[in-house]
Amino acid sequence: MIDHAHDLESVREATERLLSAVAGLDNASAAEPSRLPGWSRGHVLAHIARNADALVNVLEGRPMYADAQVRDADIERDAPRPLDAQLADVRESAARFQAAGAAPADWSRTVELRNGVVDAAARLPFRRWVEVELHHVDLGIGQELEDLPEEFTEREIEFLAERFEGHPEVPPTRVTDGTRAWHTGRKAEGPEVTVTGTPADLLGWLSGRRDGSGLTVDGGPLPALPPL
């Protein structure tokens, strides 16, 4: 069972870590490129803030975004702001998300996100946790995948493996860190490929943040994963 209250607290803690790290930047470094192609650190911070508000929309029964163009335009609009404005926006939007998460609600209900994706409302705090932790890494200011909480990394590997499960372009694949194992890709009697690595390297590959060069692959080449 998903513990949304636990995940809300994990989001709060992750947000505080991000804010503390970003506070060490200045306006010039906030405008520098992030690890995401085409995005500055300001773009990443703007996205983190706007994602919080988008998830508040979902929690309160509104569309996540008006449309893709509005989402992208909002990020472009907010990306060049001074660092103090970025910090205030991330902090204030995070507080709005926490307030929406604390409101009495039916957490078993189904909600709709972008592009017709549906999920249990109880999973939204975890989805927000993913945004904060992985985009903190994307900022390139000291946090690496190896630094993420063990619980988070294990759950996100499982979440991403489920996301690619049944995908016709991904061969039947066993993903393992040597202790735990997950299965993804097309349905089959057994896996065609086994991918082994550290939790950080597995997460990096599954999330598109590493090329998989640190992984060991048996039974064929490393599967090419579709974009998230």
Side-chain angles (χ1 to χ4, degrees), residues 4 8 59-60 98-109 121:
H4 70 274
L8 281 167
L59 285 171
E60 295 182 350
Q98 289 289 332
D106 174 12
W107 287 96
S108 67
R109 73 190 188 280

Side-chain angles (χ1 to χ4, degrees), residues 59-73:
L59 285 171
E60 295 182 350
R62 297 185 295 274
M64 187 170 183
Y65 296 100
D67 56 47
Q69 289 73 30
V70 169
R71 171 188 177 272
D72 295 345

Side-chain angles (χ1 to χ4, degrees), residues 110-131:
T110 298
V111 294
E112 183 172 345
L113 293 94
R114 293 180 66 202
N115 303 321
V117 172
V118 296
D119 204 349
R123 183 121 66 165
L124 291 185
F126 178 71
R127 285 180 175 270
R128 176 60 182 172
W129 190 10
V130 172
E131 293 288 328

Side-chain angles (χ1 to χ4, degrees), residues 7 12 27 31 57 110 148 186 218:
D7 290 347
R12 188 193 64 77
N27 288 336
N57 287 339
T110 298
L148 299 177
R186 296 190 300 271
D218 296 310

